[in-house]
Amino acid sequence: MIKKIICLMLLHICISCANNNTAAVIDKNKVSLNDPESLYKIAKINFDQENFELSKNQFIEIKKLFPLSNEAIQSEIMIAFIYYVQMDYANAILNYEKIINKYPSHKELDYLYYMVAICNYEQLQHEALDGYYNNVALNSFEQVIKRFPKSKYAKDSRQKIILVKSNIAAKHMEIGRFYLNNKKYFAALNRFKIVVDDFSITKFTPEALYRMVEAYHEMGMIEESYNTAALLGHNYPDSKWYEYSYNLVEQINGKKTVLKKIRNFF
C-alpha cells in the first residue's frame, strides 16, 4: 500500500511537470490517479510532444501501478519505442524481447519482432568494418518472415533482407579484392564464391564472377577461367564485367576472340 502511494505521488509530480499544452488537452485536476487510461493518455501526449524522458517515466509508473491493465502492456511497448527513438538500441531490444517472452500471444507480436530487427538493422556498419550486425539483422528479419509471412511487416522485412545481404556481399567483395591484390588467389576465390553461391540476388554477383576469372587466370587455371567467363556471359550478357572478361581471356586465346570461344559453349 505504501509503495503504491509513493508511486502515485511520483506520477502526480510527473503530471505536474507536463507543459501547458498538455494541460490544455487534458485537465490534470480532473484526471483520476486510479484511472490507467487517463494516465496513459497524458503520457502519450507528452510523447507526441517529444518530451521523451517525462513520458517514459510516466509509462514506467503506469506499469508499476496497474501491472494487469492493458495500459501497462502498451506502456511497456512505448518504453521500448522511446529507447528506439533515442537510439538506445540495446535497451530497446532488451525491452522488446522481454515483452515477446512475457506475452507470446500478443496481438502485435509481429510488430515486436519487426522492431527488434529494425534496431539491429539501424546498427549496420560500413561493409569494410565489423559486420556483426549484418548477420544479426538478417536473422531477425528472417524470423519476421518465417513467423508472420502474411504480416504487414513481411514485405519490408524482405526488402531489408536484400539490403542486408548486399551489405554482407560487399564485405566479402572487399576482403576478396584485398586477397586478390595480394596474390592470395585461393583465399580470394573462396570469398567470391560465397557471393555467387549465397548472395546471387545482389548487384555484386557479376563482379564476383569476373574476379574469379581473374584469379583463375593468374593461377594458370585456363579451363576454369573460360568456364567462369562463359557463366558470366550467359547470365549477365550486358554487364561491363562480361566485357572485361572478354579482354582478359583474349590475352590467353590469341587471335581467336573470346566471343567466339564462349559461344562455342552453347
Side-chain angles (χ1 to χ4, degrees):
M1 183 65 183
I2 295 176
K3 183 178 180 180
K4 185 172 183 179
I5 292 173
I6 293 173
C7 288
L8 285 169
M9 290 175 64
L10 290 172
L11 188 57
H12 181 72
I13 292 172
C14 287
I15 293 172
S16 299
C17 291
N19 60 28
N20 293 331
N21 292 331
T22 304
V25 178
I26 296 179
D27 186 349
K28 66 188 179 189
N29 294 321
K30 295 180 181 179
V31 173
S32 171
L33 293 180
N34 289 316
D35 179 11
E37 184 178 355
S38 297
L39 297 175
Y40 182 85
K41 287 180 180 178
I42 294 174
K44 184 63 167 60
I45 289 172
N46 282 315
F47 171 81
D48 292 340
Q49 294 175 350
E50 299 185 5
N51 296 320
F52 297 131
E53 284 301 319
L54 176 60
S55 62
K56 182 167 67 177
N57 290 334
Q58 291 172 338
F59 287 128
I60 290 172
E61 293 305 318
I62 292 170
K63 188 178 70 168
K64 290 179 180 178
L65 287 170
F66 310 99
L68 301 180
S69 67
N70 290 330
E71 287 76 16
I73 300 174
Q74 283 303 118
S75 292
E76 289 187 61
I77 295 174
M78 288 302 300
I79 291 167
F81 188 68
I82 290 171
Y83 280 124
Y84 164 74
V85 170
Q86 295 176 323
M87 299 178 70
D88 185 350
Y89 297 117
N91 273 317
I93 292 171
L94 179 64
N95 279 272
Y96 280 126
E97 289 181 341
K98 282 183 178 179
I99 301 168
I100 290 170
N101 293 329
K102 190 175 180 180
Y103 307 105
S105 300
H106 193 277
K107 64 180 181 179
E108 295 181 357
L109 197 63
D110 57 342
Y111 164 78
L112 300 173
Y113 273 94
Y114 175 75
M115 286 306 300
V116 170
I118 287 294
C119 288
N120 288 317
Y121 176 78
E122 292 191 4
Q123 295 181 84
L124 292 182
Q125 303 294 319
H126 185 274
E127 65 270 9
L129 303 177
D130 179 19
Y132 168 76
Y133 287 104
N134 285 320
N135 293 323
V136 175
L138 181 61
N139 291 334
S140 298
F141 283 120
E142 287 176 343
Q143 281 289 312
V144 176
I145 295 173
K146 180 180 178 180
R147 292 175 179 270
F148 314 100
K150 297 182 179 179
S151 167
K152 63 183 178 180
Y153 303 107
K155 181 179 180 180
D156 188 62
S157 294
R158 291 187 180 93
Q159 293 173 342
K160 290 291 193 299
I161 283 175
I162 294 174
L163 295 175
V164 174
K165 285 188 173 182
S166 292
N167 210 50
I168 297 173
K171 182 174 178 64
H172 285 298
M173 291 300 297
E174 183 80 14
I175 297 171
R177 293 188 204 101
F178 173 80
Y179 285 141
L180 190 62
N181 291 334
N182 286 275
K183 303 184 185 304
K184 297 181 179 180
Y185 301 120
F186 281 109
L189 277 170
N190 287 335
R191 292 290 179 166
F192 298 136
K193 284 179 179 178
I194 289 173
V195 175
V196 173
D197 293 340
D198 298 338
F199 304 102
S200 59
I201 63 173
T202 69
K203 66 180 181 180
F204 296 101
T205 304
E207 182 187 353
L209 287 168
Y210 168 70
R211 300 299 179 188
M212 289 173 66
V213 173
E214 273 191 309
Y216 285 131
H217 173 266
E218 292 297 330
M219 291 188 293
M221 300 174 68
I222 307 306
E223 185 176 353
E224 287 80 1
S225 183
Y226 284 155
N227 290 341
T228 306
L231 182 63
L232 175 56
H234 180 67
N235 289 284
Y236 306 96
D238 299 323
S239 170
K240 66 179 182 179
W241 301 108
Y242 182 39
E243 183 179 347
Y244 295 161
S245 293
Y246 283 163
N247 297 332
L248 181 61
V249 180
E250 268 184 335
Q251 297 175 20
I252 308 170
N253 204 37
K255 294 182 180 180
K256 188 176 181 181
T257 66
V258 178
L259 179 60
K260 290 181 180 179
K261 186 166 187 67
I262 291 178
R263 282 177 177 170
N264 287 338
F265 281 87
F266 305 102

